[in-house]
Amino acid sequence: MNAEQPRHLVDEVKAGPGGAMTDEVGVITGEVTLSTSLRPDGRAAVAIQYTGADEWYTLTGSPVHLPRAGLRALHQEVLDRVRRGDGAEAPS
């Protein structure tokens, strides 16, 4: 892996209509924080929380295989999906 590739990215985003789907509590909506982290097995874990909350939830579909473009590209794709809403899930 390239030394410049991050291992963990976090951003705040407003979930679009229909929100984002989580394994633990179903759909969450509104202002959320998204975390994408590289796991030791080479896959990426995607977690989401209400911004400012303590609890993190697994975005449905996570963990995912890391795309050739890397963690930044995956994180951006998930951010875009959450912005669109419609029960956004991690890419398969």
Side-chain angles (χ1 to χ4, degrees):
M1 171 180 273
N2 184 329
E4 294 179 27
Q5 273 292 336
R7 299 189 63 77
H8 183 229
L9 296 166
V10 178
D11 279 293
E12 293 179 9
V13 62
K14 182 173 183 176
M21 183 63 70
T22 70
D23 290 351
E24 297 86 359
V25 296
V27 172
I28 65 172
T29 60
E31 299 295 329
V32 298
T33 302
L34 184 76
S35 168
T36 309
S37 302
L38 186 61
R39 295 172 21 143
D41 66 4
R43 295 186 298 165
V46 184
I48 193 166
Q49 71 175 174
Y50 289 106
T51 299
D54 291 331
E55 301 84 10
W56 284 93
Y57 306 112
T58 303
L59 189 67
T60 299
S62 176
V64 300
H65 290 286
L66 191 64
R68 187 175 216 83
L71 194 68
R72 280 187 209 282
L74 173 63
H75 185 72
Q76 187 60 55
E77 180 179 352
V78 178
L79 282 171
D80 292 345
R81 286 172 178 240
V82 171
R83 274 189 196 100
R84 284 192 303 268
D86 295 326
E89 296 183 3
S92 55

